[in-house]
């Protein structure tokens, strides 16, 4: 998720919403969208996406300022035979950086494994200290404690250095310099304590401090 964030930020891939001031006080987006749904439906159209009728329709949509709506994207996908709406959004495995680094599930004829391999890490019992947190379950109706619902949680912490080796196949993963920059920015966040991992991060768990270096590798 953090890699996708940094990549989208560098590529300016984010959703922009038009405020009422930008559209004008007299413009009613909901009304324009309702009129479009009333007048057009994908199943009622009998012309292809390369026709002059389609180009004329696109101009009408742009004039109505609804081309950024989800309905229009679904409408366009149905007419052109493309993937559903989520295929257009640069999130998850639809993000190009995620595809290049971590792979993506097969869709039609495409699919790829990840190009990032993480090493395993082990800590000895002497390197780890533990602390027990006592909790109580909350009664959803009264807002108070539930009878007989006390429980405890034991967490581990260490000041020892964890050496994590990350192997990246540069030829496939870093063909685009923006992807490399997004990956390195995510490592910086992890080492600076800005990227928490694991459970209960809202309680302050999963914070790391450290540094990373690049080893010379032709692959």
């Amino acid at each position: 998720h953090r890699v996708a964030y940094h990549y989208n930020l560098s590529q300016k891939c984010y959703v922009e919403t038009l405020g009422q001031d930008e559209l004008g006080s007299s413009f009613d987006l909901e009304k324009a969208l309702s009129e479009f749904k009333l007048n057009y439906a994908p199943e009622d159209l009998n012309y292809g996406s390369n026709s002059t009728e389609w180009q004329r329709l696109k101009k009408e949509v742009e004039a109505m300022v609804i081309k950024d709506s989800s309905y229009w994207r679904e409408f366009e996908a149905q007419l052109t035979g493309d993937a559903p709406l989520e295929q257009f959004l640069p999130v998850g495995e639809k993000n190009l950086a995620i595809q290049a680094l971590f792979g993506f599930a097969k869709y039609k004829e495409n699919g790829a494994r990840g190009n990032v391999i993480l090493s395993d890490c082990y800590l000895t019992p002497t390197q780890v200290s533990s602390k027990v947190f006592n909790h109580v379950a909350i009664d959803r109706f009264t807002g108070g404690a539930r009878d007989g619902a006390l429980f405890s949680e034991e967490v581990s912490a260490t000041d020892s250095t964890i050496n994590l080796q990350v192997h990246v196949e540069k030829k496939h993963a870093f063909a685009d310099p923006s992807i490399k920059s997004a990956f390195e920015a995510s490592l910086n966040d992890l080492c600076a304590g800005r990227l928490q991992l694991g459970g209960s991060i809202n309680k302050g768990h999963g914070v790391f401090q450290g540094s990373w270096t690049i080893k010379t590798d032709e692959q």
Side-chain angles (χ1 to χ4, degrees):
H1 289 81
R2 189 59 62 95
V3 170
Y5 162 77
H6 282 297
Y7 180 77
N8 287 338
L9 187 63
S10 67
Q11 301 300 306
K12 298 183 178 180
C13 295
Y14 44 81
V15 178
E16 291 185 357
T17 57
L18 298 177
Q20 198 68 25
D21 294 339
E22 299 172 86
L23 293 174
S25 58
S26 62
F27 181 78
D28 189 336
L29 179 60
E30 291 298 326
K31 181 179 179 180
L33 193 56
S34 297
E35 292 178 354
F36 178 78
K37 293 180 180 180
L38 183 65
N39 296 328
Y40 300 100
E43 59 271 17
D44 296 335
L45 301 181
N46 56 6
Y47 48 80
S49 58
N50 296 325
S51 63
T52 55
E53 291 87 351
W54 172 249
Q55 298 302 322
R56 183 166 60 250
L57 176 60
K58 290 187 69 173
K59 291 182 179 179
E60 292 182 16
V61 169
E62 292 176 356
M64 296 171 68
V65 203
I66 64 170
K67 63 183 179 65
D68 291 328
S69 68
S70 60
Y71 179 81
W72 166 249
R73 293 185 179 182
E74 292 175 345
F75 182 95
E76 186 176 27
Q78 290 183 50
L79 189 63
T80 58
D82 289 335
L85 171 64
E86 55 266 21
Q87 293 289 331
F88 296 95
L89 303 178
V91 296
E93 63 179 25
K94 308 302 182 297
N95 184 277
L96 294 180
I98 300 304
Q99 291 183 5
L101 290 167
F102 307 111
F104 57 99
K106 186 174 182 180
Y107 177 75
K108 293 183 178 180
E109 298 301 323
N110 295 321
R113 66 170 178 81
N115 291 303
V116 177
I117 301 175
L118 304 178
S119 67
D120 291 327
C121 296
Y122 300 94
L123 293 174
T124 63
T126 58
Q127 294 177 291
V128 177
S129 60
S130 61
K131 180 177 177 60
V132 175
F133 289 92
N134 296 314
H135 301 281
V136 59
I138 301 300
D139 188 297
R140 295 178 182 272
F141 295 97
T142 66
R146 291 176 54 189
D147 292 337
L150 294 172
F151 64 97
S152 59
E153 173 191 19
E154 184 177 15
V155 300
S156 299
T158 181
D159 293 329
S160 301
T161 300
I162 300 175
N163 293 315
L164 177 66
Q165 296 186 17
V166 182
H167 177 78
V168 182
E169 295 185 14
K170 297 187 294 184
K171 180 180 179 182
H172 299 94
F174 291 158
D176 182 352
S178 298
I179 296 178
K180 183 174 182 292
S181 298
F183 186 66
E184 292 179 347
S186 300
L187 292 179
N188 287 333
D189 287 343
L190 178 63
C191 293
R194 294 190 296 267
L195 177 57
Q196 296 168 258
L197 300 179
S200 301
I201 60 175
N202 291 330
K203 299 179 182 178
H205 299 181
V207 178
F208 297 85
Q209 298 287 336
S211 61
W212 61 275
T213 57
I214 299 177
K215 289 187 176 180
T216 303
D217 190 342
E218 295 302 324
Q219 297 180 354

